[in-house]
Amino acid sequence: MLSFALRFDDVTHRPSGRLWGGGGGIYIEGSGLAALSHSADEHHNKGKVKSTAARTAMSQFRALAGVLRAGGGGPWWRGGGGTLARCRPHPWRTCSSEATPSQAVTSSSNYVEDMYFAWLEDHNNVHESWDTLFQNMEKSGAPDEEAERRPSPLLQGRVASHSPNVTQKVVEDHLAVHTLIRAYQIRGHHVAQLDPLGILDTDLDSFVPSDLITTIDKLGFYGLHESDLDRSFRLPHTTFIGGGETTLPLREVIRRLEASYCGHVGVEFMFINNVEQCQWIRQKFETPGIMRFTNAEKRTLMARLIRSTRFEDFLARKWSSEKRFGLEGCEVLIPALKTIIDSSSAAGIDSVIMGMPHRGRLNVLANVIRKDLNQIFCQFDPKLEAADEGSGDVKYHLGMYHERINRGTDKNITLSLMANPSHLEAVDPVVQGKAKAEQFYRGDAFGKKVMSILMHGDAAFAGQGVVYETFHLSELPSYTTHGTIHVVVNNQIGFTTDPRMARSSPYPTDVARVVNAPIFHVNADDPEAVMYVCRVAAEWRNTFNKDVVIDLVCYRRFGHNEMDEPLFTQPLMYKRIRRQEHVLKKYSDKLIGEGVVTLQEFEEEVAKYDKICEEAYGSSKDEKISQIRHWLDSPWPKFFTAEGEPKTMNYPPTGLDEEVLQHIGQTASSVPLGDFNIHPGLSRILRSRANLVRNGQLDWALGEYMAFGSLLKDGVHVRLSGQDVERGTFSHRHHVLHDQEVDKRICVPMNHLWADQAPYTVCNSSLSEYGVLGFELGFAMASPNALVLWEAQFGDFHNTAQCIIDQFISSGQAKWVRHNGIVLLLPHGMEGMGPEHSSARPERFLQMSKDDPDHFPEFAGDFEVQQLYDCNWIVVNCSTPANYCHVLRRQILLPFRKPLIIFTPKSLLRHTDARSSFNDLAKGTKFKRLIPDEGPASQNPDGVRRLIFCTGKVYYELNKERKRQNLEKDVAIVRLEQISPFPFDLVRAELEKHKRAELVWCQEEHKNTGYYNYVQPRLLTVVASKRPVWYAGRDPAAAPATGNKSTHLNELKKFMDVAFDLSAFQERNT
Ligand SMILES: Cc1ncc(C[n+]2csc(CCOP(=O)(O)OP(=O)(O)O)c2C)c(N)n1
Ligand SMILES: [Mg+2]
């Protein structure tokens, strides 16, 4: 019928059509009133009206609805002013009732349609007043357009000749009841009893929506009266409150709506634009008696609550002066997670990957993951020694990986909790990446085996932008994990800050609305309600494979940590909390009262768990050494030895057969799919690639192709992700070809290399750095046998992902003994493009490299590999495509994994000098950490007067200038390709070779940035400070680069002059 998608659901969601309400009614631009019937979740199933007769009838409905609107209906649609006037003014929130009139009209048309279809089936289905009306309409035939705009003459006739007031009242009352039902579905959660303390408005607003029947006089809002309470009303198909009944008395309608929407669960879902999903949720929460549990289920719930509660009690007793970030006030988190896992396991999930913050982490480790209690308790022992690296702080940050049998389903399940830094929410995308990778490697294309659960604090969930970035990955084909269950420990406080000062949205969970995730708010002191909501969330995920949020509205019994005094800042709240009975006490009393358990059984269950804790405490004292690698969240058992060591300390050369190079090169220059029309410009690019390949040459794009292609051949999965990586920001890559004739038809030549190759994934990401880099880091955790690369659009933008770089990539192994081979491709280089498109900030990566500038290492054994093993990451700036290819291959052929930071070029992508030959990649060749001078200067090193060290693109500028000044014999230029770890061995060889030469470090970056501050002390260490190291480069500056082309060129000329002025430093030398 009409394809008008309007959203009347809530005041926070304005209709997407143009809608405005005035004193007398509601108008929609360019539509008949019937358009109003297409509320968000209903427009999808309107295809059912197809026949001409039905269309005719629908025209009549419009006329009818017009009459109803014009004909002095109930007070709520005659004037919006009355409704608005009831809103208490609020300084920062709009009145939540202003959308109501539109809903009334929306619903009216639906209701008439409902009636008509029921009447079509059987005239007896409807009240006789409707029957008369429909019969009259049928006799009248289709009204013309003009008629649609006026009240139907037929109806007017009918109204005149029959009893207009009676019919109109029947229609209005039914419409009113329908509207009322909808009001509860949309806004019931605003009055749900969510706060266990009973003092806070979880939605930050004490305003009671005027269309909820919280007092009898509210009936007047709908034109209904107390006397209508016992009248029966037909229920619309968009509610399930009837159970088996199709009509209910108004009194019962209201009672059931209150039970469904205003009890201990507040369901927020009416913003979802999908009728099937809305119906599914309505059915889950409206069906009478649906929230019932067997006695066995109740006993399990109680037992889980006992474990959760007594665990915290035990820690508090034994380590009363230690911080625990305890779960008191939200003990229900443990049964909640276990219910989600049980239900998911029953649905076929066998691997759950979790991320969580500090609050309740120990309890989750103990009672969900089932880490041995003695292993947890021994972490409180100050005398515990560390057996391996890792920076301590095990309890709150390390992860865990555990395979076990799920008791509920008797199926195997693997649970892993990811290690995370203190930085709240930073682990979210990492968990998602890891989950995606597991799904990918297991061929779990729809997330039926592997799932993720993310836990959040209320303040962090609302405050941290990475939450939003992570949500926006949730539906992207190359990033979706097919539904994440989010659990918010909403203790209504963040450290010392109240929610009203911590967020501008009603709930901390509103961020989830952007992806149409349903949000289930639940009072955490009602364990059964929590359990039910968790079960529904798991079923939702299994049914729709979409995200869902559980908002556990709870309280924090103590301060932020147990040493904090919360009365300083929240005096009244904490006075109330002190009086709050523990949830376990309340629930066990309830079950004892119901006869589900006896007091004795309850006490025995408590004693049983206390004993378990005591015994574990006893054996924890025997633990003298902490093995941090026992806390690994992603073990790679076959990659390392049983002790977690690399199996060898060598790596094979990274060269390739000519045949392989030719094959990859040809595929890179072709379109492997038949009947595929590529853009003529791209044909030219492929032709020039083919030419290069014929001549045995490589440009940058081909170098990358050779690396990826050869690894794929060896069964190594390659995944390249980032903004616009498929084409490449600089239009050099073209890994995805687009058919110019057929929309969305693509070809990825890299996946057409060999029949039995590994898959290649190349994916344009959302415009996020923090989220996407975190995701790829997580992806790289799942398997060592994958080359996972993230490319920043320009290297400059990586700093919006600084948290992932600092907390995970640079320090991850040191803190959590976890290897990761992620590769960062950071386009970098001074090309006059301005301060935001020039610098990937090499100085920052180098500053965080842990090799000692003042220590000259011993070159024993395989120094090259050992140095790589010892470092925290590898930083390179390759000047040739062949070296780029080698370093990517080396990354995978190394017997361990380290993050690799590559500063990649821009202008060099097409620079004819920056080409390699196939010979540079031939069998037996390898990555060159340093490229010595290969020109005339190398023939007579003793004659070299100046030795310039440099890295990256500036080499080509130096080379050109040296030639121009005819200094090729006097000046040697050495390229540092691997900057960190610093190739002390090769640098020393160069220095020994050029004993008489002055040493200069030349860079195009400003002096306070780039590589100088890293390289200079290391060069000095090599020469034992006996030879000075001079600087040629840009002067210090605050901004990384100028945006002015002529300034840029002047700067370049200036430092080139210094680099080749052989007397520049003489004065200073003496
Ligand atoms: C990104 C970040 N900023 C600040 C902090 C310091 N901090 C630790 S806990 C906390 C409050 C967290 O509140 P909430 O998310 O509600 O969790 P709760 O402690 O209440 O469970 C803050 C601000 C942090 N850990 N991470
Ligand atoms: Mg909180």
Side-chain angles (χ1 to χ4, degrees), residues 829-846:
M830 306 301 209
E831 293 176 356
M833 292 173 86
E836 266 75 58
H837 294 85
S838 299
S839 180
R841 300 282 190 182
E843 66 276 9
R844 299 211 179 132
F845 291 93
L846 294 172

Side-chain angles (χ1 to χ4, degrees), residues 384-606:
L384 191 73
E385 281 175 35
D388 33 27
E389 57 176 335
S391 39
D393 213 6
V394 167
K395 300 191 285 291
Y396 310 110
H397 298 290
L398 260 80
M400 181 63 202
Y401 174 95
H402 196 201
E403 269 182 64
R404 54 181 299 232
I405 301 272
N406 180 271
R407 293 259 175 81
T409 56
D410 246 358
K411 293 183 186 170
N412 267 327
I413 191 147
T414 302
L415 303 172
S416 54
L417 178 67
M418 303 291 279
N420 64 282
S422 288
H423 294 56
L424 294 166
E425 307 291 348
V427 80
D428 298 0
V430 184
V431 168
Q432 301 298 60
K434 166 100 186 292
K436 179 73 182 175
E438 268 203 28
Q439 289 173 351
F440 181 81
Y441 295 126
R442 293 183 55 182
D444 180 19
F446 303 103
K448 297 296 177 195
K449 297 276 164 213
V450 181
M451 69 176 280
S452 53
I453 300 177
L454 286 177
M455 281 159 266
H456 314 269
D458 54 321
F461 199 47
Q464 291 291 307
V466 69
V467 175
Y468 181 88
E469 293 186 29
T470 307
F471 267 115
H472 266 291
L473 297 177
S474 68
E475 302 270 338
L476 306 181
S478 299
Y479 303 85
T480 178
T481 54
H482 307 284
T484 298
I485 300 185
H486 299 264
V487 183
V488 182
V489 174
N490 181 0
N491 51 22
Q492 310 181 84
I493 193 164
F495 214 136
T496 65
T497 303
D498 290 328
R500 69 203 156 86
M501 297 302 169
R503 62 175 194 260
S504 296
S505 62
Y507 294 100
T509 51
D510 289 58
V511 59
R513 293 171 63 129
V514 295
V515 294
N516 278 324
I519 300 160
F520 305 143
H521 308 281
V522 56
N523 185 322
D525 265 13
D526 182 344
E528 288 180 7
V530 171
M531 186 158 80
Y532 183 73
V533 152
C534 290
R535 204 182 281 168
V536 173
E539 285 173 25
W540 164 273
R541 196 250 169 215
N542 187 46
T543 307
F544 298 109
N545 283 105
K546 283 174 62 73
D547 282 25
V548 51
V549 178
I550 299 163
D551 179 19
L552 294 177
V553 186
C554 55
Y555 58 95
R556 193 187 67 193
R557 187 167 284 278
F558 303 111
H560 172 62
N561 63 59
E562 292 67 26
M563 306 301 111
D564 262 356
E565 173 51 87
L567 285 168
F568 285 156
T569 48
Q570 274 76 23
L572 297 184
M573 184 190 201
Y574 273 82
K575 277 181 195 152
R576 176 72 192 81
I577 288 174
R578 291 210 173 140
R579 284 187 276 119
Q580 183 78 356
E581 192 149 44
H582 287 257
V583 65
L584 176 60
K585 170 86 173 74
K586 286 197 275 188
Y587 190 57
S588 54
D589 282 354
K590 175 177 178 291
L591 295 198
I592 292 165
E594 287 175 9
V596 177
V597 288
T598 63
L599 176 62
Q600 189 188 345
E601 283 168 335
F602 167 68
E603 285 172 352
E604 279 170 9
E605 191 70 31
V606 171

